[in-house]
Amino acid sequence: MNLKFYQQKGFKATLCAAIILIAIPIVTDVYKESFVSETGHFKIMGGLSIILAIGLLAKWKFVRHIAGILTGFILFATIFMAFAMGLNYAMAYTALFITLIVLLVLLNSKSVTVYMNSK
């Protein structure tokens, strides 16, 4: 059985979205001091991002919508935290903000929608 799912239309954009979903919690965990002080606590998505990334690649029915809503909430929380933390952490929050916007654009793109709706 030779499916060649990687040759389907929209697979590359979906793969990029899945990689970003997995990379955000890893980067924010490894470089936590870039977002909060040394004694602070900062975690985004956690293990849920791995489940969402697998769901995107496996074409689960509502995973694109769930990931989009969760990313939107995280985007608004990031904006709030960036203003609350001040200029010390502006570069890290700007990078996170841009990454979340790219993820939202990918999740709502036509190619990801085509991939998720294909059989």
Side-chain angles (χ1 to χ4, degrees):
M1 188 168 159
N2 192 3
L3 292 176
K4 296 190 180 182
F5 63 93
Y6 54 86
Q7 292 180 347
Q8 294 178 6
K9 184 176 181 181
F11 175 74
K12 291 178 185 175
T14 307
L15 182 63
C16 288
I19 289 171
I20 292 172
L21 270 172
I22 293 172
I24 287 174
I26 291 172
V27 169
T28 56
D29 190 42
V30 171
Y31 298 106
K32 181 182 82 163
E33 289 82 22
S34 297
F35 297 95
V36 292
S37 63
E38 191 173 320
T39 58
H41 181 73
F42 186 76
K43 187 170 285 264
I44 293 180
M45 286 192 225
L48 181 63
S49 64
I50 294 173
I51 295 170
L52 291 173
I54 292 170
L56 276 175
L57 295 175
K59 301 178 184 179
W60 292 349
K61 190 172 185 177
F62 295 110
V63 74
R64 185 176 65 89
H65 303 292
I66 293 169
I69 291 169
L70 182 64
T71 304
F73 284 138
I74 293 170
L75 186 65
F76 285 120
T78 301
I79 293 169
F80 177 73
M81 289 187 304
F83 284 119
M85 297 303 287
L87 293 176
N88 294 338
Y89 306 103
M91 184 77 80
Y93 281 108
T94 303
L96 181 60
F97 180 75
I98 292 170
T99 306
L100 288 170
I101 288 176
V102 168
L103 179 60
L104 270 178
V105 168
L106 280 173
L107 288 173
N108 292 317
S109 69
K110 184 178 179 180
S111 58
V112 173
T113 305
V114 167
Y115 176 78
M116 295 297 290
N117 292 334
S118 66
K119 297 278 177 179

